[in-house]
Short mmCIF file of all heavy atoms in Angstrom, two decimals:
data_model
loop_
_atom_site.label_atom_id
_atom_site.label_comp_id
_atom_site.label_asym_id
_atom_site.label_seq_id
_atom_site.Cartn_x
_atom_site.Cartn_y
_atom_site.Cartn_z
N ARG A 353 -7.91 5.79 13.35
CA ARG A 353 -6.88 6.60 12.68
C ARG A 353 -5.53 6.53 13.39
O ARG A 353 -4.49 6.32 12.78
CB ARG A 353 -7.31 8.08 12.63
CG ARG A 353 -8.32 8.38 11.57
CD ARG A 353 -8.29 9.89 11.23
NE ARG A 353 -9.38 10.18 10.32
CZ ARG A 353 -10.61 10.50 10.72
NH1 ARG A 353 -10.88 10.62 12.01
NH2 ARG A 353 -11.56 10.72 9.83
N LYS A 354 -5.60 6.69 14.72
CA LYS A 354 -4.39 6.68 15.55
C LYS A 354 -3.67 5.33 15.42
O LYS A 354 -2.44 5.28 15.28
CB LYS A 354 -4.84 6.93 16.99
CG LYS A 354 -3.77 6.94 18.05
CD LYS A 354 -4.41 7.48 19.36
CE LYS A 354 -4.09 6.64 20.56
NZ LYS A 354 -2.88 6.61 21.15
N THR A 355 -4.42 4.24 15.45
CA THR A 355 -3.82 2.91 15.38
C THR A 355 -3.13 2.69 14.03
O THR A 355 -2.01 2.17 13.96
CB THR A 355 -4.90 1.83 15.60
OG1 THR A 355 -5.60 2.12 16.82
CG2 THR A 355 -4.29 0.45 15.70
N ILE A 356 -3.80 3.11 12.95
CA ILE A 356 -3.19 2.94 11.62
C ILE A 356 -1.90 3.77 11.53
O ILE A 356 -0.85 3.28 11.08
CB ILE A 356 -4.18 3.36 10.50
CG1 ILE A 356 -5.38 2.41 10.48
CG2 ILE A 356 -3.48 3.38 9.14
CD1 ILE A 356 -6.50 2.82 9.53
N ALA A 357 -1.97 5.01 12.03
CA ALA A 357 -0.81 5.91 11.93
C ALA A 357 0.35 5.42 12.81
O ALA A 357 1.51 5.53 12.42
CB ALA A 357 -1.21 7.33 12.33
N GLU A 358 0.05 4.86 13.98
CA GLU A 358 1.13 4.42 14.89
C GLU A 358 1.73 3.08 14.47
O GLU A 358 2.94 2.90 14.50
CB GLU A 358 0.59 4.31 16.31
CG GLU A 358 0.39 5.67 16.95
CD GLU A 358 -0.14 5.58 18.37
OE1 GLU A 358 -0.31 4.46 18.91
OE2 GLU A 358 -0.40 6.65 18.93
N ASP A 359 0.87 2.14 14.07
CA ASP A 359 1.38 0.79 13.82
C ASP A 359 2.20 0.67 12.54
O ASP A 359 2.97 -0.27 12.39
CB ASP A 359 0.22 -0.23 13.82
CG ASP A 359 -0.24 -0.55 15.25
OD1 ASP A 359 0.25 0.13 16.18
OD2 ASP A 359 -1.07 -1.45 15.43
N VAL A 360 2.04 1.64 11.64
CA VAL A 360 2.88 1.60 10.43
C VAL A 360 4.35 1.71 10.81
O VAL A 360 5.23 1.15 10.14
CB VAL A 360 2.45 2.68 9.41
CG1 VAL A 360 2.81 4.08 9.89
CG2 VAL A 360 3.10 2.41 8.05
N LYS A 361 4.62 2.38 11.94
CA LYS A 361 6.02 2.52 12.40
C LYS A 361 6.58 1.18 12.87
O LYS A 361 7.79 0.99 12.93
CB LYS A 361 6.10 3.54 13.54
CG LYS A 361 5.73 4.94 13.09
CD LYS A 361 5.60 5.91 14.26
CE LYS A 361 4.74 7.11 13.87
NZ LYS A 361 3.97 7.63 15.00
N LEU A 362 5.69 0.24 13.21
CA LEU A 362 6.14 -1.10 13.57
C LEU A 362 6.15 -2.03 12.35
O LEU A 362 6.39 -3.23 12.47
CB LEU A 362 5.20 -1.70 14.64
CG LEU A 362 4.97 -0.86 15.90
CD1 LEU A 362 3.86 -1.46 16.75
CD2 LEU A 362 6.26 -0.77 16.70
N GLY A 363 5.80 -1.46 11.21
CA GLY A 363 5.81 -2.26 9.98
C GLY A 363 4.48 -2.91 9.63
O GLY A 363 4.42 -3.74 8.74
N HIS A 364 3.38 -2.51 10.33
CA HIS A 364 2.08 -3.11 10.02
C HIS A 364 1.16 -2.07 9.37
O HIS A 364 1.03 -0.96 9.88
CB HIS A 364 1.38 -3.60 11.29
CG HIS A 364 2.28 -4.35 12.21
ND1 HIS A 364 3.10 -5.37 11.77
CD2 HIS A 364 2.51 -4.24 13.54
CE1 HIS A 364 3.79 -5.85 12.78
NE2 HIS A 364 3.47 -5.18 13.87
N ILE A 365 0.55 -2.46 8.27
CA ILE A 365 -0.43 -1.57 7.64
C ILE A 365 -1.81 -2.24 7.77
O ILE A 365 -2.02 -3.33 7.23
CB ILE A 365 -0.10 -1.30 6.16
CG1 ILE A 365 1.31 -0.69 6.05
CG2 ILE A 365 -1.14 -0.36 5.55
CD1 ILE A 365 1.75 -0.39 4.62
N TRP A 366 -2.71 -1.59 8.51
CA TRP A 366 -4.04 -2.16 8.74
C TRP A 366 -5.08 -1.48 7.87
O TRP A 366 -5.00 -0.28 7.62
CB TRP A 366 -4.48 -1.97 10.19
CG TRP A 366 -3.52 -2.39 11.26
CD1 TRP A 366 -3.02 -1.59 12.26
CD2 TRP A 366 -2.97 -3.69 11.48
NE1 TRP A 366 -2.19 -2.33 13.08
CE2 TRP A 366 -2.14 -3.62 12.62
CE3 TRP A 366 -3.09 -4.92 10.81
CZ2 TRP A 366 -1.44 -4.71 13.12
CZ3 TRP A 366 -2.39 -6.01 11.31
CH2 TRP A 366 -1.58 -5.91 12.44
N CYS A 367 -6.10 -2.23 7.46
CA CYS A 367 -7.30 -1.60 6.91
C CYS A 367 -8.08 -1.04 8.11
O CYS A 367 -7.83 -1.43 9.25
CB CYS A 367 -8.13 -2.61 6.11
SG CYS A 367 -9.33 -3.55 7.09
N PRO A 368 -9.03 -0.12 7.89
CA PRO A 368 -9.73 0.48 9.02
C PRO A 368 -10.47 -0.53 9.90
O PRO A 368 -10.65 -0.30 11.10
CB PRO A 368 -10.73 1.44 8.36
CG PRO A 368 -10.21 1.67 6.99
CD PRO A 368 -9.45 0.44 6.60
N HIS A 369 -10.90 -1.65 9.32
CA HIS A 369 -11.61 -2.67 10.09
C HIS A 369 -10.65 -3.41 11.01
O HIS A 369 -10.87 -3.55 12.21
CB HIS A 369 -12.31 -3.66 9.14
CG HIS A 369 -13.14 -2.97 8.11
ND1 HIS A 369 -12.58 -2.46 6.96
CD2 HIS A 369 -14.44 -2.66 8.06
CE1 HIS A 369 -13.52 -1.86 6.25
NE2 HIS A 369 -14.67 -1.97 6.90
N THR A 370 -9.55 -3.88 10.41
CA THR A 370 -8.54 -4.60 11.19
C THR A 370 -7.96 -3.72 12.29
O THR A 370 -7.59 -4.21 13.37
CB THR A 370 -7.43 -5.10 10.24
OG1 THR A 370 -8.06 -5.80 9.15
CG2 THR A 370 -6.46 -6.02 10.94
N ALA A 371 -7.91 -2.41 12.04
CA ALA A 371 -7.37 -1.48 13.04
C ALA A 371 -8.17 -1.52 14.34
O ALA A 371 -7.61 -1.29 15.42
CB ALA A 371 -7.34 -0.06 12.47
N THR A 372 -9.46 -1.85 14.27
CA THR A 372 -10.24 -1.93 15.53
C THR A 372 -9.70 -3.07 16.40
O THR A 372 -9.62 -2.93 17.61
CB THR A 372 -11.75 -2.17 15.28
OG1 THR A 372 -11.95 -3.43 14.61
CG2 THR A 372 -12.38 -1.05 14.45
N ALA A 373 -9.30 -4.17 15.77
CA ALA A 373 -8.76 -5.31 16.53
C ALA A 373 -7.38 -4.95 17.07
O ALA A 373 -7.05 -5.27 18.22
CB ALA A 373 -8.68 -6.55 15.64
N ALA A 374 -6.56 -4.28 16.25
CA ALA A 374 -5.21 -3.90 16.68
C ALA A 374 -5.31 -2.93 17.86
O ALA A 374 -4.52 -2.99 18.81
CB ALA A 374 -4.44 -3.27 15.53
N PHE A 375 -6.30 -2.03 17.82
CA PHE A 375 -6.48 -1.10 18.94
C PHE A 375 -6.92 -1.87 20.20
O PHE A 375 -6.40 -1.65 21.29
CB PHE A 375 -7.51 -0.02 18.60
CG PHE A 375 -7.72 0.95 19.72
CD1 PHE A 375 -6.83 1.99 19.95
CD2 PHE A 375 -8.79 0.79 20.61
CE1 PHE A 375 -7.00 2.86 21.01
CE2 PHE A 375 -8.97 1.66 21.68
CZ PHE A 375 -8.07 2.70 21.88
N ALA A 376 -7.88 -2.75 20.03
CA ALA A 376 -8.40 -3.51 21.18
C ALA A 376 -7.29 -4.33 21.85
O ALA A 376 -7.28 -4.47 23.07
CB ALA A 376 -9.53 -4.44 20.73
N ARG A 377 -6.35 -4.84 21.06
CA ARG A 377 -5.25 -5.66 21.59
C ARG A 377 -4.50 -4.93 22.70
O ARG A 377 -4.00 -5.55 23.64
CB ARG A 377 -4.30 -6.02 20.45
CG ARG A 377 -2.97 -6.66 20.86
CD ARG A 377 -3.17 -8.07 21.38
NE ARG A 377 -1.95 -8.66 21.91
CZ ARG A 377 -1.57 -8.60 23.20
NH1 ARG A 377 -2.32 -7.94 24.07
NH2 ARG A 377 -0.47 -9.19 23.60
N ARG A 378 -4.44 -3.60 22.61
CA ARG A 378 -3.63 -2.82 23.56
C ARG A 378 -4.16 -2.88 24.99
O ARG A 378 -3.43 -2.60 25.93
CB ARG A 378 -3.60 -1.35 23.12
CG ARG A 378 -2.96 -1.20 21.75
CD ARG A 378 -3.07 0.22 21.26
NE ARG A 378 -2.44 0.34 19.94
CZ ARG A 378 -2.22 1.47 19.33
NH1 ARG A 378 -2.55 2.60 19.90
NH2 ARG A 378 -1.64 1.48 18.15
N SER A 379 -5.43 -3.23 25.16
CA SER A 379 -5.94 -3.22 26.53
C SER A 379 -5.83 -4.57 27.24
O SER A 379 -6.36 -4.74 28.32
CB SER A 379 -7.39 -2.71 26.54
OG SER A 379 -8.10 -3.30 25.50
N TYR A 380 -5.15 -5.53 26.62
CA TYR A 380 -4.98 -6.83 27.29
C TYR A 380 -3.50 -7.10 27.54
O TYR A 380 -2.67 -6.85 26.68
CB TYR A 380 -5.55 -7.96 26.41
CG TYR A 380 -7.03 -7.82 26.15
CD1 TYR A 380 -7.49 -7.21 24.98
CD2 TYR A 380 -7.97 -8.28 27.06
CE1 TYR A 380 -8.84 -7.05 24.74
CE2 TYR A 380 -9.33 -8.13 26.82
CZ TYR A 380 -9.75 -7.52 25.67
OH TYR A 380 -11.09 -7.37 25.42
N GLN A 381 -3.20 -7.61 28.75
CA GLN A 381 -1.80 -7.95 29.06
C GLN A 381 -1.54 -9.45 28.96
O GLN A 381 -0.69 -9.89 28.22
CB GLN A 381 -1.42 -7.46 30.47
CG GLN A 381 -0.76 -6.10 30.48
CD GLN A 381 -1.81 -5.00 30.63
OE1 GLN A 381 -2.65 -5.09 31.51
NE2 GLN A 381 -1.77 -4.00 29.77
N GLN A 382 -2.32 -10.22 29.72
CA GLN A 382 -2.07 -11.66 29.82
C GLN A 382 -2.73 -12.40 28.67
O GLN A 382 -3.88 -12.12 28.35
CB GLN A 382 -2.64 -12.20 31.14
CG GLN A 382 -2.01 -11.59 32.38
CD GLN A 382 -0.53 -11.84 32.45
OE1 GLN A 382 -0.08 -12.96 32.17
NE2 GLN A 382 0.25 -10.82 32.79
N GLY A 383 -2.02 -13.37 28.09
CA GLY A 383 -2.67 -14.23 27.13
C GLY A 383 -1.95 -14.31 25.80
O GLY A 383 -0.89 -13.72 25.60
N ASN A 384 -2.58 -15.04 24.92
CA ASN A 384 -2.05 -15.29 23.58
C ASN A 384 -3.15 -14.86 22.62
O ASN A 384 -4.28 -15.34 22.70
CB ASN A 384 -1.74 -16.81 23.48
CG ASN A 384 -1.46 -17.28 22.07
OD1 ASN A 384 -1.12 -16.50 21.19
ND2 ASN A 384 -1.62 -18.58 21.85
N PHE A 385 -2.85 -13.90 21.73
CA PHE A 385 -3.92 -13.27 20.94
C PHE A 385 -3.72 -13.45 19.44
O PHE A 385 -2.59 -13.39 18.95
CB PHE A 385 -4.00 -11.78 21.25
CG PHE A 385 -4.45 -11.52 22.66
CD1 PHE A 385 -3.52 -11.43 23.69
CD2 PHE A 385 -5.80 -11.41 22.96
CE1 PHE A 385 -3.93 -11.23 25.00
CE2 PHE A 385 -6.22 -11.20 24.26
CZ PHE A 385 -5.28 -11.12 25.28
N ILE A 386 -4.83 -13.63 18.75
CA ILE A 386 -4.81 -13.62 17.29
C ILE A 386 -5.71 -12.48 16.81
O ILE A 386 -6.92 -12.47 17.08
CB ILE A 386 -5.32 -14.97 16.71
CG1 ILE A 386 -4.41 -16.12 17.15
CG2 ILE A 386 -5.37 -14.88 15.18
CD1 ILE A 386 -4.84 -17.49 16.64
N LEU A 387 -5.10 -11.50 16.13
CA LEU A 387 -5.90 -10.43 15.51
C LEU A 387 -6.41 -10.97 14.18
O LEU A 387 -5.66 -11.59 13.43
CB LEU A 387 -5.04 -9.20 15.22
CG LEU A 387 -4.15 -8.66 16.34
CD1 LEU A 387 -3.41 -7.41 15.83
CD2 LEU A 387 -4.99 -8.32 17.55
N VAL A 388 -7.67 -10.72 13.88
CA VAL A 388 -8.22 -11.19 12.62
C VAL A 388 -8.20 -10.04 11.62
O VAL A 388 -8.85 -9.01 11.83
CB VAL A 388 -9.65 -11.74 12.84
CG1 VAL A 388 -10.25 -12.18 11.52
CG2 VAL A 388 -9.60 -12.91 13.83
N ALA A 389 -7.41 -10.19 10.56
CA ALA A 389 -7.30 -9.14 9.52
C ALA A 389 -8.34 -9.44 8.46
O ALA A 389 -8.22 -10.41 7.71
CB ALA A 389 -5.90 -9.12 8.94
N THR A 390 -9.39 -8.60 8.40
CA THR A 390 -10.56 -8.93 7.57
C THR A 390 -10.47 -8.41 6.14
O THR A 390 -11.17 -8.92 5.27
CB THR A 390 -11.84 -8.42 8.22
OG1 THR A 390 -11.66 -7.04 8.59
CG2 THR A 390 -12.20 -9.24 9.46
N ALA A 391 -9.67 -7.38 5.89
CA ALA A 391 -9.55 -6.88 4.51
C ALA A 391 -8.14 -6.35 4.26
O ALA A 391 -7.43 -5.97 5.19
CB ALA A 391 -10.58 -5.79 4.22
N HIS A 392 -7.76 -6.30 3.00
CA HIS A 392 -6.47 -5.74 2.61
C HIS A 392 -6.55 -4.21 2.66
O HIS A 392 -7.54 -3.63 2.22
CB HIS A 392 -6.12 -6.20 1.19
CG HIS A 392 -4.69 -5.96 0.82
ND1 HIS A 392 -4.19 -4.70 0.56
CD2 HIS A 392 -3.64 -6.82 0.71
CE1 HIS A 392 -2.90 -4.80 0.30
NE2 HIS A 392 -2.54 -6.07 0.38
N PRO A 393 -5.51 -3.56 3.19
CA PRO A 393 -5.56 -2.09 3.30
C PRO A 393 -5.70 -1.38 1.95
O PRO A 393 -6.23 -0.25 1.90
CB PRO A 393 -4.24 -1.73 3.99
CG PRO A 393 -3.37 -2.94 3.88
CD PRO A 393 -4.29 -4.12 3.80
N ALA A 394 -5.27 -2.02 0.85
CA ALA A 394 -5.36 -1.36 -0.46
C ALA A 394 -6.81 -1.13 -0.89
O ALA A 394 -7.08 -0.32 -1.78
CB ALA A 394 -4.63 -2.20 -1.52
N LYS A 395 -7.76 -1.81 -0.27
CA LYS A 395 -9.18 -1.59 -0.60
C LYS A 395 -9.66 -0.25 -0.08
O LYS A 395 -10.67 0.27 -0.53
CB LYS A 395 -10.05 -2.68 0.05
CG LYS A 395 -10.15 -3.95 -0.73
CD LYS A 395 -11.17 -4.89 -0.10
CE LYS A 395 -12.44 -4.95 -0.92
NZ LYS A 395 -13.15 -6.22 -0.73
N PHE A 396 -8.95 0.26 0.93
CA PHE A 396 -9.40 1.49 1.60
C PHE A 396 -8.29 2.53 1.57
O PHE A 396 -7.99 3.18 2.55
CB PHE A 396 -9.83 1.15 3.04
CG PHE A 396 -10.90 0.10 3.07
CD1 PHE A 396 -10.58 -1.23 3.23
CD2 PHE A 396 -12.24 0.45 2.88
CE1 PHE A 396 -11.57 -2.22 3.21
CE2 PHE A 396 -13.23 -0.53 2.86
CZ PHE A 396 -12.89 -1.86 3.02
N GLU A 397 -7.68 2.65 0.37
CA GLU A 397 -6.47 3.48 0.26
C GLU A 397 -6.75 4.95 0.56
O GLU A 397 -5.87 5.65 1.06
CB GLU A 397 -5.83 3.28 -1.12
CG GLU A 397 -6.39 4.12 -2.27
CD GLU A 397 -7.77 3.68 -2.78
OE1 GLU A 397 -8.39 2.79 -2.17
OE2 GLU A 397 -8.24 4.27 -3.78
N THR A 398 -7.98 5.42 0.31
CA THR A 398 -8.24 6.85 0.54
C THR A 398 -8.22 7.18 2.03
O THR A 398 -8.00 8.32 2.42
CB THR A 398 -9.59 7.29 -0.07
OG1 THR A 398 -10.61 6.43 0.43
CG2 THR A 398 -9.56 7.22 -1.59
N ILE A 399 -8.49 6.19 2.88
CA ILE A 399 -8.40 6.40 4.33
C ILE A 399 -6.97 6.13 4.82
O ILE A 399 -6.39 6.90 5.58
CB ILE A 399 -9.38 5.46 5.08
CG1 ILE A 399 -10.82 5.79 4.69
CG2 ILE A 399 -9.17 5.56 6.59
CD1 ILE A 399 -11.83 4.76 5.15
N VAL A 400 -6.41 5.01 4.34
CA VAL A 400 -5.14 4.51 4.91
C VAL A 400 -3.94 5.35 4.46
O VAL A 400 -3.08 5.71 5.28
CB VAL A 400 -4.94 3.03 4.53
CG1 VAL A 400 -3.58 2.52 4.99
CG2 VAL A 400 -6.05 2.17 5.14
N GLU A 401 -3.86 5.68 3.16
CA GLU A 401 -2.64 6.29 2.63
C GLU A 401 -2.29 7.64 3.27
O GLU A 401 -1.14 7.87 3.63
CB GLU A 401 -2.69 6.34 1.10
CG GLU A 401 -2.55 4.92 0.52
CD GLU A 401 -2.59 4.85 -1.00
OE1 GLU A 401 -2.91 5.87 -1.66
OE2 GLU A 401 -2.30 3.75 -1.54
N PRO A 402 -3.28 8.54 3.45
CA PRO A 402 -2.93 9.80 4.12
C PRO A 402 -2.41 9.59 5.55
O PRO A 402 -1.59 10.37 6.03
CB PRO A 402 -4.25 10.58 4.15
CG PRO A 402 -5.11 9.95 3.11
CD PRO A 402 -4.69 8.52 3.02
N LEU A 403 -2.85 8.54 6.21
CA LEU A 403 -2.44 8.29 7.60
C LEU A 403 -1.03 7.72 7.70
O LEU A 403 -0.32 7.95 8.67
CB LEU A 403 -3.42 7.34 8.29
CG LEU A 403 -4.83 7.89 8.53
CD1 LEU A 403 -5.78 6.78 8.96
CD2 LEU A 403 -4.79 8.98 9.60
N ILE A 404 -0.65 6.94 6.69
CA ILE A 404 0.68 6.31 6.75
C ILE A 404 1.71 7.06 5.91
O ILE A 404 2.89 6.75 5.95
CB ILE A 404 0.62 4.82 6.32
CG1 ILE A 404 0.22 4.67 4.85
CG2 ILE A 404 -0.33 4.03 7.22
CD1 ILE A 404 0.34 3.24 4.34
N GLY A 405 1.23 8.04 5.13
CA GLY A 405 2.15 8.88 4.37
C GLY A 405 2.85 8.17 3.22
O GLY A 405 3.92 8.58 2.79
N LYS A 406 2.29 7.08 2.75
CA LYS A 406 2.84 6.42 1.55
C LYS A 406 1.74 5.60 0.90
O LYS A 406 0.65 5.45 1.46
CB LYS A 406 4.03 5.53 1.93
CG LYS A 406 3.71 4.42 2.90
CD LYS A 406 4.97 3.62 3.25
CE LYS A 406 4.65 2.53 4.25
NZ LYS A 406 5.82 1.87 4.81
N SER A 407 2.04 5.08 -0.29
CA SER A 407 0.98 4.32 -0.94
C SER A 407 1.05 2.86 -0.51
O SER A 407 2.09 2.36 -0.10
CB SER A 407 1.07 4.47 -2.46
OG SER A 407 2.33 4.05 -2.89
#
Side-chain angles (χ1 to χ4, degrees):
R353 282 202 187 88
K354 179 169 132 73
T355 307
I356 294 174
E358 285 180 3
D359 283 7
V360 70
K361 295 171 201 148
L362 307 171
H364 315 312
I365 302 180
W366 309 123
C367 87
H369 309 82
T370 309
T372 63
F375 180 80
R377 169 71 186 92
R378 299 174 179 190
S379 44
Y380 299 96
Q381 266 90 49
Q382 298 300 316
N384 168 20
F385 293 89
I386 298 179
L387 311 182
V388 178
T390 50
H392 194 287
K395 276 187 106 154
F396 303 94
E397 84 287 6
T398 54
I399 297 168
V400 174
E401 289 180 350
L403 292 168
I404 64 172
K406 60 182 179 190
S407 57

